[in-house]
Amino acid sequence: MTEFARELTGLDGLGGLDGKRALVTGGSRGIGAAVVRQLVGAGVEVLTTARSGAAEVPEGARFVAADVRTAEGAEVIAAAAHKEFGGVDLVVHNAGGAQPYASAADIPAEEWKNALELNFLASVRLDALLTPGMRERRTGAIVHVSSAAVLTPVGQFLHYVAAKAALETYSRGLSLELAPFGVRVNTVTPGRTATPGGEATREQWARLAVGPGQTNADDTPPLGREGRPDDIADAVLFLLSGRADWLTGSNLVVDGGEFPRG
Ligand SMILES: NC(=O)c1ccc[n+]([C@@H]2O[C@H](COP(=O)([O-])OP(=O)(O)OC[C@H]3O[C@@H](n4cnc5c(N)ncnc54)[C@H](OP(=O)(O)O)[C@@H]3O)[C@@H](O)[C@H]2O)c1
């Protein structure tokens, strides 16, 4: 950004992120760790959370151990955000995932509940605790991390895909509710990305010997490679930044062109 453009917009090269306070769930590895690293690099004060893995968290970020699937976990995280920073300006709901099964009928009832808690209700609970402060301050940006699997919902993964689909609809609805308060809410939808969670899922698919075309792990994306965590983090940071000031309720699909758009 030129000096002139900076003066004109009041933004630095990173879209005015410097000095903001962020919460990122699942920041100990994969996409979440890339988001944390990039935010710290942009001068953001970051608190991240996972059930374990404090030692893996990128340098410069603070950490609180919690399970986002529970109401108690959400309370612990919100209290830590309040204690560390007095509130947050930016929230990235990144923790997510689920183990695939051979078919939809094989997914145990307990795993349906788990998938909904982790990939959907965790965001609902944390947003309920964190958005009142944002509304009051009349500023804030939230990103929900979904999955391109929603665009091709395969049976072995329906608990996960259905939870992410609910998350997308919720995210859009929340964006309308919070827009009058200057709080923006967007979704980032990654395609296959090289992370520990992504690799574990694809290995499990291979073990289940699900037939070709029956999983969404068969082809190379049109752009010729799978995603890197930073590909997704770039999109997240853009949506959090002042450069996306007129963007809310959007869903940015970052998948190398792989999945069909509606
Ligand atoms: N990688 C892909 O190909 C891909 C594709 C589409 C969408 N996504 C989505 O992108 C997001 C990140 O995926 P990823 O591949 O980077 O995942 P990952 O490598 O498995 O990392 C997940 C992170 O979330 C934390 N986490 C998991 N369960 C948690 C819980 N119950 N409470 C608190 N933290 C929890 C993990 O730490 P602990 O295990 O220690 O708690 C870890 O820090 C997820 O929402 C996923 O659904 C990924």
Side-chain angles (χ1 to χ4, degrees), residues 26 28-29 31 51-52 66-68 94 146 160 164 190-191 193 195 197:
S28 62
R29 56 176 189 262
I31 291 167
R51 289 164 301 177
S52 58
D67 187 338
V68 297
N94 161 79
S146 182
Y160 169 74
K164 291 291 196 188
T193 309
T195 66

Side-chain angles (χ1 to χ4, degrees), residues 26-117:
S28 62
R29 56 176 189 262
I31 291 167
V35 171
V36 170
R37 233 183 338 265
Q38 287 203 17
L39 283 173
V40 170
V44 175
E45 291 197 86
V46 182
L47 172 70
T48 190
T49 183
R51 289 164 301 177
S52 58
E56 315 303 316
V57 169
E59 211 175 313
R62 298 171 219 201
F63 177 80
V64 58
D67 187 338
V68 297
R69 292 172 303 180
T70 66
E72 298 73 32
E75 298 278 356
V76 166
I77 295 163
H82 190 73
K83 181 165 166 257
E84 296 284 346
F85 308 139
V88 291
D89 310 297
L90 314 169
V91 184
V92 181
H93 296 279
N94 161 79
Q99 182 191 337
Y101 290 82
S103 72
D106 292 321
I107 301 169
E110 204 46 45
E111 285 307 310
W112 273 97
K113 282 194 197 138
N114 252 323
L116 283 164
E117 294 287 0

